[in-house]
Structure formats: C-alpha cells, structure tokens
Amino acid sequence: MVIDFHAHIYTDDMAPKAIASVKRRMGVRVPGLGTVADLRGSMAKAGVERSIILPLAPLPKHVRPTNDFFLAAADGDGLVPFGAIHPFQEDLEEELDRLQAAGVRGVKAVPFLQSFYPDDPRCDRLYQAVADRGMVLLLHAGKVPEDLPEFFGTPDRFARMAERHPDLVVVLAHLGGWEMWSGVREYLIPAAENVYFDTAYISPSLTSAEACDLIVEIGADRVLFGTDYPWTDQAEEICFVEGMDLSGREKRMILSENAERLLFPR
C-alpha cells in the first residue's frame, strides 16, 4: 500500500489558472492537472491507495470556504482531507472543532503564503489548539521555486517551535526545508523528536542518494511519502523512493506505515 501524504487539488475552474500561474512564475514542469478527477486517475495509475489532500488559504477569510470545498471533495477513503487554518484567524478554535467533527485529522498552514514566523509566540494559540485536539499540523518548510524576498519557515525557527511545543505532532513538508537541508541537519534533526518530515517535491532538487542520506539521518520512522501532486508525478515519486538504498522495512514505513500510524491507528 502507498499513502501520499502531500497532494493538492483545485476546483475544475481554478485548476488551469493555478497551474498556468505556477508555470509562468516558476518555470517548472507540472505533470498533473490538479483536479479531483485527475488525481484519482493518477492514484489508480501509480497504485496510491490514499492521498492526503492539502488546502491553501492565504488569508483568514479564505479558510472556511476552502475547507468547505475540501470536505465536499473527500470520499471518506481514497481522498483524505486536511483542513486549511490561519494562525491569526479569530475563529481558530471554532474552525478546528468544525473540522474535527467532520472527521478531519489534521490542518495545514503555510508560513510564506500567510506571512508568519513559526516561532512567533502569537502562533502558540494555534499550536496549543491543534495539540489539545490530538490533530496533526502540517507546515510548508523552506523555500519555493520562486524568487521571494522572504520564506518565513526556516529550519531554525521550526526547531524553536518544536522545542516549545513537545506535545504537538508536526509534519514539515519537503524534508524539513526545501533547499535549506543544511539547516535541517544543523537545527531540526537534533531538536525536533516530535517532528515528522515528508518527501514532497524533493526529487527536482535532490538525487535519490542525497535524499536517502538525509532520510537516514532523520530516521525512516519519521519520514512520510509525499509527492506534491500536481507538481510531480505520483508514479515517478514512488520510483524515486524505491530507488533509495534503504531496507524494505524502511521503504514500507515511508510509503505507508508511518502515515497509517499517524492518521489511521487500528
């Protein structure tokens, strides 16, 4: 079984616009269409049993309507939604309660998109609320393939956040900091025993051997397979992990078992 812990979808109207915008701004290859139907087709082709679909909500006013779309898109099995959340929204606790009542197991926030530093004390309200509810918090970590003045979510800041909130279950995307992996080694690996890391969109920047070395340092029991669909091809990303010099047991942990333990305990 394979669980993709990091996939994105858009409405049928928004998907072509979102993909065209990314291609124009970042000049990257985009193999997927970003629609629910295309993701389902990709999963069937790649042998992905479940995809965790992750929303983006730049402003607090975007959170609830975005979550409504993701809740409607979820099928209770193959497509598993996380909710959008903004650390500075007024109704933060109420929205978490609404999501949890709908069966949502985690939420996503994006430092560079929502303009917050992960170690800002003002974010403690979010971290405590997520921890109190036994939910998972997934955060974009590191850079993006775009020249931005600041990325906000750096490994040193995540390390300080994790140290202050040891009861919070955190997943840092892109192996803890896209194109900031020296900082992951310096700050995050020593400090963040409560942190998980996903593999989303690392293949365009790291070789399989380089990614494998970092995963070994982190520990395969804390790594989750993620693709960042539609920005990468799910089947190709499975091959990327399968090609690593890891044991069969370690690959199973990454491709499904760690995600099962976090989200689908038996």
Side-chain angles (χ1 to χ4, degrees):
M1 181 172 66
V2 176
I3 298 174
D4 183 350
F5 212 92
H6 193 131
H8 297 284
I9 57 167
Y10 302 88
T11 66
D12 289 351
D13 289 338
M14 281 300 302
K17 300 172 186 176
I19 289 174
S21 175
V22 168
K23 285 182 175 179
R24 183 179 65 254
R25 295 183 352 254
M26 302 184 188
V28 298
R29 166 181 173 257
V30 184
L33 299 180
T35 62
V36 171
D38 188 66
L39 174 56
R40 291 187 191 280
S42 172
M43 292 169 62
K45 175 184 174 183
V48 174
E49 184 169 320
R50 288 175 171 146
S51 288
I52 312 305
I53 47 176
L54 303 175
L56 304 172
L59 298 173
K61 68 180 181 180
H62 299 140
V63 168
R64 189 178 182 96
T66 298
N67 287 338
D68 288 342
F69 166 63
F70 273 71
L71 289 172
D75 59 9
D77 187 17
L79 300 185
V80 180
F82 267 32
I85 205 70
H86 194 293
F88 305 141
Q89 67 185 87
E90 291 185 5
D91 62 341
L92 188 152
E93 291 85 1
E94 290 83 355
E95 186 64 9
L96 288 175
D97 287 339
R98 183 175 82 99
L99 291 168
Q100 191 170 47
V104 175
R105 300 169 175 88
V107 290
K108 180 177 182 180
V110 186
F112 81 89
L113 186 67
Q114 298 171 325
S115 299
F116 72 90
Y117 296 106
D119 58 343
D120 184 338
R122 294 180 298 165
C123 296
D124 288 349
R125 175 186 169 211
L126 168 62
Y127 304 147
Q128 191 61 54
V130 171
D132 287 347
R133 288 159 178 79
M135 299 174 80
V136 175
L137 176 63
L138 190 146
L139 295 157
H140 173 90
K143 301 179 180 180
V144 292
E146 186 175 11
D147 185 19
L148 299 179
E150 190 166 12
F151 296 99
F152 292 89
T154 58
D156 58 321
R157 291 185 180 277
F158 284 123
R160 288 192 286 271
M161 175 203 76
E163 287 178 323
R164 288 212 316 266
H165 298 276
D167 296 331
L168 176 66
V169 179
V170 181
V171 177
L172 295 182
H174 319 297
L175 281 184
W178 195 75
E179 295 202 338
M180 293 183 177
W181 293 295
S182 62
V184 172
R185 286 183 161 97
E186 181 178 358
Y187 299 107
L188 266 173
I189 294 176
E193 294 183 0
N194 56 320
V195 172
Y196 290 79
F197 301 76
D198 80 28
T199 66
Y201 205 78
I202 60 170
S203 62
S205 294
L206 295 176
T207 66
S208 182
E210 290 169 337
C212 182
D213 287 345
L214 183 53
I215 287 170
V216 169
E217 290 185 50
I218 292 168
D221 61 324
R222 291 200 288 151
V223 178
L224 304 154
F225 174 68
T227 66
D228 221 1
Y229 169 93
W231 317 117
T232 67
D233 180 271
Q234 287 182 311
E236 291 177 5
E237 294 304 297
I238 292 172
C239 291
F240 183 73
V241 172
E242 291 285 8
M244 294 180 186
D245 186 19
L246 298 168
S247 70
R249 169 67 171 154
E250 288 170 322
K251 291 174 185 177
R252 289 194 299 274
M253 285 194 290
I254 293 167
L255 289 171
S256 65
E257 290 176 4
N258 295 335
E260 282 190 284
R261 187 174 72 252
L262 272 184
L263 298 184
F264 311 105
R266 294 176 183 176

